[in-house]
Amino acid sequence: MKIHKGLVLAAFASLTLVGCGGGGDSGSSQTSPIQVNQTYNLSAALKSLTANGWSANLNVNASNGCSGTGSYTVGGATTAAVFEGKAALSATSMLNISYKNCTPAIQSITSISYYDSNYVPLGTQSDSYLVWTSVSIPSTIKVGDVAVIGDAVRYSNNTKTSKTGTAQLSAVVEADTQNSAFITVSTKAYTSANVLESTQLTKYRIDTSNNLTIVSLTIQYANGVTLVMTKA
């Protein structure tokens, strides 16, 4: 099963599998009244995760019957680097998946993501090259908000002579409890002909202290296969 390395381990590594506290549940068991006017600082939450890094063990299941386990580690963005001719901070990400019943049985992906001094994503180097052309992470969000976060261009390598597609990132905020909300981040990957290749839906819970925890990561491929990764 093919995974788009430049997207799953992209400049928004902190927007693909973050925090991972608690279980991979799809909802809350709390019965407290929902506070739809409570605001959250998504920008601050992501900056903290990007600076410090995180790791998680995963359960992996796909609609074609593939299943297995994995691990995902994102280092903190602490290494001085250069990206597109500008000073940057870099972080290395590693995703390992072991399937019990599919070929290839093992998938390993390593990527280096680059950020500016404020931990705003700049791009990613993996088996391809991704450059974020616009990024706007909201500092204030609340239930019902829909935010366009960024746009990226994908190339075959850092020479940028061959454009392979684009990516668009957005987020939707949904109700959870009086002290938390759900944030679903959508990453849509398009070919160079603007044909949708995949949609990645990453669902988080954010609390009033601006801590993010993973709920689920779902990748929907154009061929109809859906891959779901949850915290083990």
Side-chain angles (χ1 to χ4, degrees), residues 117-130:
S117 59
N118 291 314
Y119 301 106
V120 175
L122 299 174
T124 296
Q125 177 80 61
S126 58
D127 66 337
S128 61
Y129 191 73
L130 180 146

Side-chain angles (χ1 to χ4, degrees), residues 40-186:
Y40 306 89
N41 191 330
L42 180 59
S43 178
L46 290 172
K47 284 181 180 180
S48 177
L49 285 167
T50 300
N52 296 302
W54 54 270
S55 63
N57 292 320
L58 308 171
N59 289 319
V60 181
N61 291 280
S63 61
N64 63 357
C66 293
S67 63
T69 58
S71 63
Y72 199 1
T73 301
V74 178
T78 58
T79 303
V82 176
F83 184 79
E84 294 288 291
K86 298 179 181 179
L89 296 170
S90 68
T92 299
S93 303
M94 297 181 65
L95 173 64
N96 297 298
I97 297 176
S98 297
Y99 290 109
K100 296 184 293 185
N101 53 350
C102 285
T103 302
I106 297 176
Q107 284 189 308
S108 296
I109 303 170
T110 300
S111 178
I112 301 176
S113 295
Y114 298 89
Y115 305 84
D116 69 14
S117 59
N118 291 314
Y119 301 106
V120 175
L122 299 174
T124 296
Q125 177 80 61
S126 58
D127 66 337
S128 61
Y129 191 73
L130 180 146
V131 179
W132 290 98
T133 56
S134 66
V135 176
S136 179
I137 305 174
S139 58
T140 302
I141 57 172
K142 65 181 187 301
V143 172
D145 285 351
V146 177
V148 176
I149 295 178
D151 294 281
V153 179
R154 293 183 290 145
Y155 302 93
S156 57
N157 54 53
N158 61 5
T159 66
K160 298 194 293 186
T161 57
S162 177
K163 178 181 175 181
T164 58
T166 60
Q168 296 178 347
L169 198 68
S170 61
V172 176
V173 186
E174 300 172 294
D176 182 24
T177 73
Q178 64 174 345
N179 297 314
S180 62
F182 289 125
I183 299 175
T184 300
V185 177
S186 172

